[in-house]
Amino acid sequence: MLVVATACNEYAESFENGSLITASQARNLMEQNPYAIILDVRTQSEFDALHIPNAILIPNEMLGLQEWDALSDKGALILVYCRSGSRSEQSVRLLVAMGYTNVLDFGGILSWPYEIISN
């Protein structure tokens, strides 16, 4: 629990809820906080083709339509991406409006220079 609390405190001091961050910043947060939710908001076929390791898929158009078990903690650190950055921006705005307090947008997978899973 100490690691999670420390990572959340660093997040709170560094970024405003809903901020756009770089791929490098997102990767650092993923490494610092193993409980961070990496949220892919693209379509199932896009996700199946390639995605970031440990990401979960909730398509942008489905995000506000139901409650998602993976998003049950409104205080969890959620790092959101899509293909190019447009859908992630929309999703972050929606999540913030829904009361999520630690949501960051790291744009699109097209600009992700780190490991990806492809099929």
Side-chain angles (χ1 to χ4, degrees):
M1 290 300 284
L2 182 59
V3 173
V4 175
T6 301
C8 289
N9 286 341
E10 289 177 15
Y11 159 79
E13 292 173 357
S14 301
F15 304 106
E16 184 177 323
N17 192 34
S19 292
L20 177 63
I21 62 173
T22 66
S24 176
Q25 290 169 322
R27 184 171 184 227
N28 288 340
L29 286 169
M30 290 173 196
E31 290 173 352
Q32 292 170 4
N33 186 349
Y35 299 103
I37 298 166
I38 305 165
L39 180 60
D40 186 324
V41 295
R42 299 173 302 147
T43 64
Q44 182 72 55
S45 61
E46 289 174 303
F47 183 85
D48 291 344
L50 64 107
H51 60 272
I52 295 171
N54 301 315
I56 61 165
L57 173 68
I58 302 176
N60 181 48
E61 61 274 0
M62 301 295 295
L63 198 53
L65 299 181
Q66 68 184 59
E67 290 188 26
W68 299 91
D69 289 341
L71 300 178
S72 61
D73 180 0
K74 290 197 174 190
L77 176 57
I78 304 172
L79 304 169
V80 184
Y81 75 96
C82 63
R83 185 177 84 62
S84 63
S86 179
R87 287 175 283 181
S88 62
E89 181 181 355
Q90 293 171 7
S91 294
V92 165
R93 287 182 187 189
L94 177 60
L95 289 166
V96 169
M98 292 169 60
Y100 290 87
T101 58
N102 292 327
V103 184
L104 297 172
D105 177 359
F106 67 99
I109 197 167
L110 294 178
S111 61
W112 181 255
Y114 307 106
E115 180 182 5
I116 57 170
I117 296 172
S118 61
N119 295 328

